[in-house]
Amino acid sequence: KQEVTQIPAALSVPEGENLVLNCSFTDSAIYNLQWFRQDPGKGLTSLLLIQSSQREQTSGRLNASLDKSSGRSTLYIAASQPGDSATYLCAASTSGTYKYIFGTGTRLKVLA
Amino acid sequence: GAVVSQHPSWVICKSGTSVKIECRSLDFQATTMFWYRQFPKQSLMLMATSNEGSKATYEQGVEKDKFLINHASLTLSTLTVTSAHPEDSSFYICSARDPLRESAKNIQYFGAGTRLSVL
């Protein structure tokens, strides 16, 4: 059974810092791994999607990597801004069922 | 492309009433849709997989008689919370797959969510 864990659960950093969010999954047989952002009381905003055959994806200040062999993905945020404050969720798409198993989330607060 | 619309975005109802939430794929046909639930400060938990033209598949611990799912067309799935009680208050999110898009058939596109408050 796929389990997805995110570390840390919460993170507070000063503006301008580069930071890394971690996502671990137990079953390496995944179709893809997706990172989302969720603002309080809101839905999901897709940030980056990494297909199982890829190792990383980049969008602006965001870079996500995928290492299936170790069951890990990281989301790198460069030059963090107060507007980046949100909860970040990773989700692994389980091979064979297309189900998404979500991680526990990292609540990020970037201080001005 | 690949837009999923969810309606309503917010609903308040009295205990004992039933509430219907709609999930529509606007520009693609979705043979499979998924329903998730999120309690405050928790992550999303998959409730069920909705298959067009057949019965939904529920995750362990989810009452199928409580959460009725109907996927009668290729662009619409509905979740009905029957006889809602305060403990059903949650954030419900749907997602859909576009199986005809070869490059994206294993990607899910998410709706904006529905916040249900049962008084």
Side-chain angles (χ1 to χ4, degrees):
Chain A
K1 178 183 176 183
Q2 178 74 277
E3 293 184 4
V4 182
T5 307
Q6 290 184 247
I7 295 174
L11 183 62
S12 185
V13 300
E15 182 178 7
E17 271 203 12
N18 302 324
L19 54 99
V20 175
L21 307 182
N22 297 292
C23 174
S24 299
F25 47 94
T26 55
D27 186 349
S28 62
I30 60 173
Y31 278 131
N32 58 56
L33 190 133
Q34 197 161 356
W35 283 91
F36 297 87
R37 168 187 173 138
Q38 185 176 34
D39 292 287
K42 303 292 185 181
L44 303 179
T45 300
S46 178
L47 298 175
L48 289 167
L49 168 74
I50 311 176
Q51 300 275 20
S52 62
S53 58
Q54 300 171 326
R55 292 192 63 85
E56 66 175 346
Q57 284 288 321
T58 299
S59 175
R61 293 182 295 109
L62 305 178
N63 175 275
S65 66
L66 175 64
D67 184 345
K68 288 176 58 180
S69 62
S70 65
R72 294 177 60 186
S73 176
T74 60
L75 178 67
Y76 175 82
I77 303 177
S80 58
Q81 304 171 356
D84 295 330
S85 299
T87 295
Y88 290 80
L89 296 165
C90 68
S93 174
T94 305
S95 179
T97 67
Y98 300 109
K99 295 181 184 179
Y100 269 34
I101 305 299
F102 278 82
T104 45
T106 295
R107 294 188 305 279
L108 172 65
K109 187 170 185 178
V110 181
L111 305 172
Chain B
V3 177
V4 174
S5 173
Q6 198 170 330
H7 178 81
S9 57
W10 189 25
V11 57
I12 302 174
C13 68
K14 293 182 179 180
S15 184
T17 61
S18 294
V19 175
K20 180 184 285 189
I21 302 170
E22 293 185 348
C23 181
R24 293 181 184 272
S25 56
L26 298 187
D27 51 359
F28 65 98
Q29 294 182 333
T31 54
T32 306
M33 292 184 174
F34 302 87
W35 288 96
Y36 297 83
R37 178 170 53 184
Q38 184 180 37
F39 290 109
K41 296 188 178 181
Q42 295 186 25
S43 191
L44 278 75
M45 297 298 294
L46 179 65
M47 298 176 65
T49 302
S50 172
N51 302 297
E52 187 268 337
S54 64
K55 292 183 178 180
T57 304
Y58 290 81
E59 295 299 302
Q60 190 173 6
V62 178
E63 301 175 60
K64 60 181 180 180
D65 295 330
K66 174 76 172 177
F67 299 99
L68 300 179
I69 292 173
N70 185 283
H71 194 156
S73 79
L74 286 171
T75 60
L76 174 64
S77 175
T78 60
L79 168 68
T80 301
V81 183
T82 61
S83 187
H85 290 283
E87 58 266 29
D88 298 323
S89 297
S90 187
F91 193 55
Y92 294 87
I93 302 179
C94 71
S95 69
R97 287 177 55 232
D98 182 356
L100 298 181
R101 188 182 302 185
E102 187 62 29
S103 62
K105 63 180 180 180
N106 57 23
I107 297 172
Q108 290 184 28
Y109 303 96
F110 284 81
T114 296
R115 184 161 302 283
L116 171 63
S117 296
V118 185
L119 305 177

